Amino acid sequence: MSKQHGWKPLEITADDAGVDPTPAGLAGFLADTDKISSMLIAEKALVFRGFQVSESTLEPAMDLLLPNRLAYVHGNSPRSKVGSNIYTSTEYPPELTISMHNELSYAHAWPSRLLFFAAHEPTTGGATPVVDGTLWLESLDPAIREAFAGGVRYSQNLHGGRGLGKSWQDTFETGDQAEVEAFLKGTEAEWEWRGDGGLRVTQLRPSTVRHPVTGVEVWFNQSDQWHPAALGDEMAAELAQILPEEELPQSVRFADGSAIPDEYVIEVRDKGLDAAVDVDWHTGDLLLIDNVLVGHGRRPFTGPRRILVAMSD
């Protein structure tokens, strides 16, 4: 695990915990849920190593770490559901870097915890970088922080079965339009059903939030991931030739509707990655993060990397 800027996740082994190096030993250590909660807030991220956990023995630890496991409803990244609110990590091509972000920070509500599990380590690379959200915020140019102070406006075009990006059925895990509308009514979003069977959703969200326990302010938006400039000049140019901004699967502007300069989102992306600490994976590892205090991403990899993800409020 690489360390930068004086912070890194706390690594816990069986020796550290004073228990047997087994799934049962880990479950015994995690049974003191109040202690684990205090550790997570203090350390921001916890790595559990050497407990010989497998997919078939993961459930007891997951139930203790994620007391109210959530579905990935309104999630925008491609992934597969493999169990009871358990998903694969984002299924982007392995040669790509996934920039830093807090899960569902563009949504009306977000999980407070994320748990990652290494079912199969990659052959090379594939670390999950994590970044202290306060450090990320403080690393940005003051002019950029000021420009984002009013928040951001996210727009999604979700197709009805065929098209670029995700369908609204996959995004909301239902084929019932009434269920989608019932969900969106509680999110302060605006939406409209399109004539082609698709759905357009627009949301105004803050660029920073404060942690509900510690009160610290953190960078908390996905403007760089929703902005074509952060995809690279070549990809952005190709998208611009195919579709205007208002027809892209996802796009972002400042809350007042004005365009976010390309250089702003590129700095946000790069500063987050520069400040990140890599968590390298070994089969059986678990990583628990506070989803407000810490952002996460993915490094490129080779080999059959299989990381499972679940979340809790």
Side-chain angles (χ1 to χ4, degrees):
M1 185 186 303
S2 61
K3 179 180 179 181
Q4 300 179 31
H5 307 290
W7 173 81
K8 66 176 183 178
L10 176 66
E11 184 173 315
I12 301 170
T13 66
D15 285 344
D16 298 324
V19 298
D20 291 335
T22 62
L26 176 59
F29 177 69
L30 300 178
D32 189 344
T33 55
D34 289 341
K35 177 181 178 180
I36 298 301
S37 294
S38 296
M39 290 176 66
L40 182 60
I41 291 173
E43 303 293 343
K44 306 175 185 178
L46 306 174
V47 179
F48 301 95
R49 286 210 160 122
F51 292 93
Q52 304 178 54
V53 180
S54 65
E55 280 193 58
S56 63
T57 60
L58 174 62
E59 203 82 12
M62 183 172 285
D63 288 343
L64 289 165
L65 292 171
L66 304 177
N68 184 28
R69 211 179 307 163
L70 302 173
Y72 187 61
V73 176
H74 207 177
N76 70 325
S77 65
R79 59 185 76 213
S80 301
K81 194 170 187 176
V82 298
S84 177
N85 291 342
I86 304 172
Y87 301 83
T88 58
S89 58
T90 300
E91 296 170 350
Y92 284 154
E95 67 273 14
L96 299 180
T97 296
I98 298 177
S99 60
M100 310 309 296
H101 61 285
N102 303 77
E103 202 65 47
L104 291 169
S105 60
Y106 55 85
H108 176 66
W110 47 81
S112 62
R113 294 181 178 185
L114 298 183
L115 179 67
F116 301 83
F117 169 68
H120 198 297
E121 65 191 63
T123 302
T124 64
T128 293
V130 290
V131 64
D132 181 326
T134 298
L135 175 63
W136 191 4
L137 175 63
E138 293 173 347
S139 73
L140 299 175
D141 186 284
I144 292 179
R145 294 172 60 175
E146 178 62 27
F148 275 92
V152 293
R153 180 191 302 267
Y154 298 102
S155 296
Q156 291 174 286
N157 289 303
L158 304 169
H159 63 78
R162 296 183 62 184
L164 290 176
K166 292 184 72 174
S167 69
W168 61 263
Q169 294 94 331
D170 286 341
T171 298
F172 295 99
E173 296 190 0
T174 180
D176 187 335
Q177 291 188 358
E179 286 187 26
V180 174
E181 292 184 5
F183 176 88
L184 290 173
K185 285 176 182 177
T187 68
E188 301 175 3
E190 298 178 358
W191 73 91
E192 62 173 320
W193 295 102
R194 313 296 294 273
D196 60 2
L199 173 67
R200 181 174 176 82
V201 181
T202 302
Q203 307 173 84
L204 297 180
R205 300 291 183 239
S207 61
T208 67
V209 297
R210 291 190 178 275
H211 190 271
V213 176
T214 69
V216 298
E217 185 179 16
V218 298
W219 186 252
F220 199 78
N221 67 83
Q222 287 176 234
S223 57
D224 64 306
Q225 291 194 329
W226 288 55
H227 197 293
L231 300 175
D233 293 342
E234 184 176 336
M235 180 67 74
E238 290 178 0
L239 282 174
Q241 291 178 351
I242 297 172
L243 292 171
E245 178 187 327
E246 62 271 16
E247 296 298 327
L248 291 172
Q250 57 188 41
S251 59
V252 64
R253 286 182 164 250
F254 287 126
D256 64 4
S258 60
I260 301 175
D262 293 0
E263 60 270 23
Y264 283 16
V265 294
I266 290 171
E267 175 171 328
V268 168
R269 178 197 65 191
D270 292 349
K271 291 286 189 180
L273 285 166
D274 288 347
V277 177
D278 285 351
V279 176
D280 297 309
W281 289 111
H282 305 283
T283 299
D285 287 351
L286 297 94
L287 166 65
L288 179 70
I289 68 173
D290 184 305
N291 186 47
V292 175
L293 294 175
V294 171
H296 66 280
R298 191 200 72 188
R299 304 292 186 185
F301 66 95
T302 64
R305 180 184 190 269
R306 180 173 170 82
I307 308 297
L308 304 183
V309 184
M311 59 197 75
S312 177
D313 57 11

